[in-house]
């Protein structure tokens, strides 16, 4: 149940915009059911946050928290994704403001500021500080406690999106036993939440589920292709000042494409191709190696752009093919973390999850991230079909400074 104040906030235009932004961006191109929205996720996070809070406040270990703080936390849970715009998580490398910062700005702006202050009788600055960790003013122990509840190893955000994404994608990998997890948590002053020892299998399930969801869903090669195409179009648009960041922040899925696909600016044709599912084809895929200096250099978006242009020049010169700057994309997923810094409570003693004897030690976690990250090169089908019978994949590897001996032949087109 939502209070009248929260209902009014939920009905506000800035909140309803989330109903037009898909939670998983272009993932529906692979999993047609993945059309759930940021708004449904936000309501789910609010619901789980309320259940977690109810579990914690009855514990004798719960730190002193105020009624205002509790309401502020629940409001922050509902609004935590307010600053999202299309493809937000995929655009972290671009010179754009983080969605948490944008959320804080919206909370502190009208009309939301007054709706929170008057409708909920709480301080909007308290709500903003819980969501945006960049806010340093007037940060109390209570704010830090609620920050750790909202964003941590065992947070309501993760518990909702893993289950929700798995359900709508029709895959079993992300399913969590939320009832069991919540029944085995206790408050921890510094970390927000600790877990009883008998709840450790639930934490292991979260870690492995996250790995499987990245492997099968979030970083599926077709999803990565569509994501990389959008990133390339927006990167070039920002570079050439065809996009103003403040305008981008206010867009939803429909208005993003409507705003740019009819433009005569050639890179925006990529967005039109995404909307029509005319995706680029993969011509090279190799495992990313964090110890390879050439691989590490490619994690810079600017370096990748330079290498992409070198490949474009190579195609024009050697193969006499028409190839625009927007035609070549080198994709490397961002580094992800598998948080394990969770206190475990056993027989009145607290120790760290890494000391629990779990199979998820540091080397296993490193293996997860190393296995997931791939360097892929994509290009339009009309160009790739003329090159795949040549030694083109090895030529790309050489241009990018990658070990040609470790590069497999081009994979089957998407």
């Amino acid at each position: 149940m939502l209070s009248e104040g929260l209902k009014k906030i939920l009905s506000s235009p800035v909140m309803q915009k989330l109903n037009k932004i898909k939670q998983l961006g272009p993932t529906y191109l692979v999993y047609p059911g993945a059309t759930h929205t940021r708004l449904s996720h936000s309501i789910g996070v609010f619901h789980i946050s309320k259940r977690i809070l109810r579990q914690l406040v009855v514990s004798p270990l719960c730190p002193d928290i105020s009624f205002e703080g509790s309401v502020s936390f629940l409001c922050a849970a509902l609004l935590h994704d307010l600053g999202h715009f299309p493809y937000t998580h995929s655009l972290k490398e671009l010179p754009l403001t983080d969605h948490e910062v944008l959320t804080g700005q919206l909370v502190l702006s009208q009309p939301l500021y007054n709706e929170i202050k008057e409708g909920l009788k709480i301080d909007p600055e308290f709500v903003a500080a819980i969501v945006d960790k960049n806010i340093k003013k007037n940060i109390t122990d209570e704010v830090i406690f609620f920050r750790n509840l909202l964003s941590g190893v065992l947070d309501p955000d993760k518990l909702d999106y893993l289950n929700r994404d798995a359900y709508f994608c029709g895959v079993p990998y992300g399913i969590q036993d939320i009832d069991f997890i919540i029944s085995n948590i206790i408050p921890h002053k510094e970390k927000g939440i600790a877990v009883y020892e008998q709840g450790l299998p639930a934490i292991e399930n979260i870690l492995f589920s996250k790995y499987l969801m990245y492997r099968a869903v979030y970083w599926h090669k077709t999803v990565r292709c569509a994501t990389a195409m959008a990133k390339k179009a927006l990167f070039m648009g920002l570079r050439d000042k065809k996009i103003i960041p403040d305008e981008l922040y206010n867009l939803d899925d429909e208005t993003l494409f409507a705003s740019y696909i009819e433009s005569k600016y050639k890179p925006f044709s990529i967005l039109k191709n995404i909307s029509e599912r005319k995706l680029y084809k993969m011509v090279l895929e190799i495992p990313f190696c964090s110890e390879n200096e050439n691989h590490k250099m490619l994690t810079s978006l600017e370096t990748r752009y330079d290498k992409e242009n070198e490949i474009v020049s190579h195609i024009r010169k050697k193969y006499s093919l028409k190839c625009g700057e927007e035609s070549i994309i080198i994709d490397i997923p961002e580094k992800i973390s598998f948080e394990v810094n969770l206190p475990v409570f056993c027989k009145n003693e607290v120790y760290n999850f890494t000391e629990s004897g779990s199979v998820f030690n540091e080397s296993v976690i490193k293996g997860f991230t190393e296995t997931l990250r791939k360097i892929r090169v994509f290009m339009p089908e009309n160009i790739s079909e003329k090159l795949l019978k040549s030694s083109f994949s090895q030529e790309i590897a050489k241009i990018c400074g990658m070990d040609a001996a470790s590069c497999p032949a081009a994979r089957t087109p998407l």
Side-chain angles (χ1 to χ4, degrees):
M1 293 289 292
L2 294 175
S3 67
E4 290 303 315
L6 285 172
K7 285 181 181 178
K8 188 174 181 180
I9 290 171
L10 184 63
S11 300
S12 64
V14 288
M15 194 70 187
Q16 285 300 310
K17 186 193 79 168
L18 298 181
N19 208 28
K20 299 177 183 178
I21 299 177
K22 295 181 184 67
Q23 173 78 2
L24 297 183
T27 305
Y28 71 94
L29 297 172
V30 180
Y31 297 97
T35 55
H36 53 300
T37 67
R38 290 277 170 193
L39 182 61
S40 62
H41 165 65
S42 297
I43 295 171
V45 172
F46 170 83
H47 173 68
I48 294 175
S49 296
K50 186 165 63 173
R51 293 186 61 188
I52 288 175
L53 192 59
R54 283 175 174 170
Q55 176 73 13
L56 298 181
V57 295
V58 298
S59 170
L61 298 176
C62 188
D64 291 334
I65 56 176
S66 63
F67 177 76
E68 180 187 7
S70 298
V71 177
S72 298
F73 167 66
L74 294 177
C75 184
L78 182 64
L79 301 179
H80 79 286
D81 270 355
L82 198 62
H84 266 290
F85 49 94
Y87 293 82
T88 313
H89 281 309
S90 306
L91 305 178
K92 292 180 180 179
E93 298 166 285
L94 299 182
L96 299 170
T97 305
D98 291 339
H99 80 272
E100 294 91 349
V101 176
L102 292 173
T103 297
Q105 292 173 356
L106 288 168
V107 167
L108 297 176
S109 302
Q110 299 295 357
L112 200 54
Y113 184 94
N114 277 349
E115 290 175 354
I116 294 172
K117 191 173 184 64
E118 297 175 7
L120 300 180
K121 308 301 181 185
I122 58 176
D123 186 353
E125 293 189 6
F126 198 154
V127 178
I130 293 174
V131 179
D132 181 9
K133 294 184 178 181
N134 292 289
I135 295 176
K136 307 298 183 183
K137 184 180 178 181
N138 298 326
I139 301 304
T140 64
D141 289 343
E142 190 175 18
V143 170
I144 294 173
F145 176 75
F146 284 125
R147 278 180 175 178
N148 291 330
L149 279 189
L150 189 60
S151 179
V153 179
L154 194 61
D155 58 48
D157 183 37
K158 197 180 289 93
L159 291 178
D160 181 82
Y161 80 67
L162 284 172
N163 272 358
R164 190 176 300 274
D165 294 348
Y167 175 82
F168 282 99
C169 290
V171 299
Y173 311 122
I175 303 302
Q176 308 300 314
D177 186 349
I178 293 179
D179 292 338
F180 177 74
I181 292 171
I182 292 178
S183 69
N184 279 283
I185 61 173
I186 55 174
H188 188 276
K189 186 175 182 180
E190 286 78 30
K191 300 296 182 181
I193 284 180
V195 63
Y196 286 115
E197 187 177 37
Q198 59 265 32
L200 285 175
I203 309 305
E204 293 177 319
N205 188 50
I206 289 173
L207 293 169
F208 194 54
S209 294
K210 185 176 178 180
Y211 165 75
L212 290 176
M213 287 297 287
Y214 269 95
R215 184 177 179 88
V217 178
Y218 306 143
W219 285 355
H220 184 285
K221 63 179 180 179
T222 305
V223 176
R224 289 303 313 179
C225 177
T227 299
M229 289 172 68
K231 184 189 296 185
K232 177 84 176 206
L234 296 177
F235 169 75
M236 295 184 70
L238 288 165
R239 183 204 60 172
D240 294 338
K241 301 189 182 331
K242 302 296 183 180
I243 297 176
I244 299 173
D246 285 345
E247 293 177 354
L248 180 63
Y249 302 148
N250 295 316
L251 300 179
D252 55 41
D253 287 356
E254 293 180 4
T255 54
L256 171 69
F257 289 98
S259 298
Y260 301 121
I261 60 176
E262 299 302 327
S263 170
K264 294 182 180 180
Y265 180 62
K266 183 63 175 174
F268 287 161
S269 64
I270 304 176
L271 296 175
K272 186 174 184 179
N273 287 337
I274 297 172
S275 68
E276 297 175 353
R277 208 188 187 284
K278 296 178 181 178
L279 303 182
Y280 285 10
K281 300 301 175 182
M282 184 179 72
V283 296
L284 178 67
E285 177 187 275
I286 66 170
F288 176 83
C289 177
S290 60
E291 298 176 0
N292 186 311
E293 290 299 323
N294 290 323
H295 288 197
K296 287 195 290 186
M297 287 177 61
L298 289 174
T299 59
S300 161
L301 194 58
E302 294 289 343
T303 300
R304 291 208 300 274
Y305 180 68
D306 291 340
K307 293 298 181 182
E308 289 164 353
N309 285 339
E310 285 187 42
I311 296 171
V312 168
S313 297
H314 178 74
I315 292 173
R316 290 171 177 171
K317 183 176 181 180
K318 181 172 181 178
Y319 297 97
S320 301
L321 295 174
K322 291 183 179 180
C323 186
E325 286 186 12
E326 74 284 351
S327 299
I328 304 297
I329 299 175
I330 301 172
D331 177 57
I332 302 178
E334 67 278 6
K335 185 178 180 180
I336 59 170
S337 62
F338 287 83
E339 307 93 339
V340 294
N341 189 21
L342 181 72
V344 178
F345 190 82
C346 178
K347 298 178 181 179
N348 295 321
E349 293 185 4
V350 178
Y351 58 93
N352 198 288
F353 177 80
T354 55
E355 302 168 348
S356 67
S358 171
V359 68
F360 290 96
N361 53 43
E362 291 185 6
S363 61
V364 170
I365 296 298
K366 182 180 179 182
F368 272 11
T369 55
E370 292 284 324
T371 301
L372 287 170
R373 298 178 81 186
K374 309 283 185 183
I375 302 175
R376 296 185 176 99
V377 180
F378 300 101
M379 63 175 58
E381 184 175 13
N382 64 332
I383 299 177
S384 65
E385 64 184 4
K386 298 175 182 178
L387 299 173
L388 291 181
K389 293 182 180 179
S390 68
S391 59
F392 185 62
S393 59
Q394 284 74 26
E395 294 168 13
I396 294 175
K398 184 176 180 179
I399 291 172
C400 294
M402 295 182 282
D403 181 11
S406 68
C407 297
R411 302 299 178 92
T412 303
L414 302 176

